[in-house]
Amino acid sequence: MTARIIDGKAIAAALRETIATRIAALPYRPGLAVILVGEDAASTVYVRNKDRAAKAAGLNASTIRLPMETTQASLLGTIQTLNDDPDIDGILVQLPLPPHIATDAIIRAIDPAKDVDGFHPENVAALALGVPSLVPCTPSGVMRLLHAAGTKISGARAVVVGRSNIVGRPMAALLLAADATTTIAHSRTTNLPAECRRADILIAAVGRANMITADWINPGATIIDVGINRTPNGTLTGDVDFAAALPIAGAITPVPGGVGPMTIACLLDNTLLAAGRRR
């Protein structure tokens, strides 16, 4: 058996096309503002890709670039200006921030109705309660990938490896809402490989290259690899040993070309959703 490859690029492209069609039919252009503090190389590339995708979809997108030495007070002032701007529907502050800025304070300062990253405590609470909200983009993208792959979620045993506030915890909430029996596993989980082997759906989001090997995988499982790790030779790899998993899994996402494109597409979808609710 060879696993089906879940083509995140193609699925994301179809979603972006749908979003562009919906935006073209609106009497206004939803506005998205992205704030980038400093010159982190990975963040700069990611923000550039977001900006390109947003403009291609028809959003009125802008990137506010601030120097590394920007103070927390100054950044808070920029956010408040965007909160008050009626033409801005979505605000995203690119993480990570410089160490002298308190990330939690910045996230809390964003108007929850414009929080297209889905990180504000009000949106986190809404997700936990099963109330419609702006959902973090990567977990939202993972759910779309599972549906596109035809994976049965209701009643399935799902294991999420990683408990971050950005991916692991909201991912578990979405799987629970879809009626999966869900476990969050992490570095202190007893016998982690055995937990993973129980999974019909395995979500890897730990940031450790090729950590999940063949003997961790339940034959026929759907594997979504959220990890993006750069190897010493400069190539990108996920948290799952892709070559080892391919003959065992039922379906699997590649890295790159799996979850990454979906994260940006879901950001555009969140912006469109926020615009509709606000207006």
Side-chain angles (χ1 to χ4, degrees):
M1 179 178 71
T2 299
R4 289 180 293 112
I5 307 299
I6 305 172
D7 189 346
K9 285 184 178 180
I11 297 165
L15 176 56
R16 291 198 309 271
E17 185 175 340
T18 298
I19 292 167
T21 300
R22 291 167 59 196
I23 290 173
L26 295 174
Y28 61 90
R29 293 181 68 194
L32 171 65
V34 178
I35 302 174
L36 175 63
V37 184
E39 299 293 337
D40 179 81
S43 292
T44 299
V45 171
Y46 192 42
V47 166
R48 185 168 62 243
N49 290 340
K50 288 176 182 177
D51 186 70
R52 186 182 300 122
K55 289 177 178 175
L59 293 176
N60 186 11
S62 61
T63 299
I64 300 170
R65 290 178 168 82
L66 302 175
M68 178 69 77
E69 59 270 19
T70 297
T71 65
Q72 181 168 313
S74 177
L75 179 53
L76 289 171
T78 299
I79 291 170
Q80 190 57 53
T81 298
L82 296 172
N83 284 342
D84 295 337
D85 188 338
D87 292 327
I88 297 297
D89 298 291
I91 302 169
L92 183 151
V93 178
Q94 181 64 37
L95 303 179
L97 289 167
H100 66 277
I101 296 177
T103 299
D104 285 349
I106 299 306
I107 291 173
R108 288 175 181 273
I110 299 170
D111 180 349
K114 298 185 177 187
D115 168 39
V116 289
D117 251 342
F119 295 161
H120 191 284
E122 287 189 22
N123 287 324
V124 172
L127 175 59
L129 294 171
V131 177
S133 63
L134 292 170
V135 176
C137 302
T138 297
S140 179
V142 169
M143 294 302 291
R144 289 177 181 272
L145 289 172
L146 290 172
H147 288 300
T151 299
K152 182 179 181 294
I153 302 175
S154 179
R157 184 177 295 279
V159 174
V160 181
V161 186
R163 51 180 169 177
S164 74
N165 291 334
I166 294 173
V167 180
R169 294 172 193 264
M171 187 75 255
L174 287 173
L175 288 164
L176 280 171
D179 299 322
T181 301
T182 306
T183 299
I184 299 181
H186 46 79
S187 60
R188 297 193 179 184
T189 297
T190 301
N191 201 350
L192 181 56
E195 285 294 335
C196 292
R197 279 194 297 272
R198 301 170 64 207
D200 304 307
I201 299 169
L202 181 61
I203 315 292
V206 289
R208 290 181 57 188
N210 299 322
M211 185 185 81
I212 295 176
T213 55
D215 61 336
W216 292 36
I217 297 169
N218 177 19
T222 296
I223 300 176
I224 307 293
D225 193 347
V226 182
I228 301 179
N229 311 283
R230 193 166 293 280
T231 64
N233 64 10
T235 61
L236 294 177
T237 188
D239 293 344
V240 178
D241 184 336
F242 184 82
L246 203 57
I248 301 171
I252 189 170
T253 56
V255 177
V259 175
M262 291 302 300
T263 298
I264 293 178
C266 288
L267 168 66
L268 309 184
D269 195 51
N270 269 358
T271 304
L272 181 57
L273 176 62
R277 287 178 177 171
R278 289 186 60 248
R279 297 165 191 263

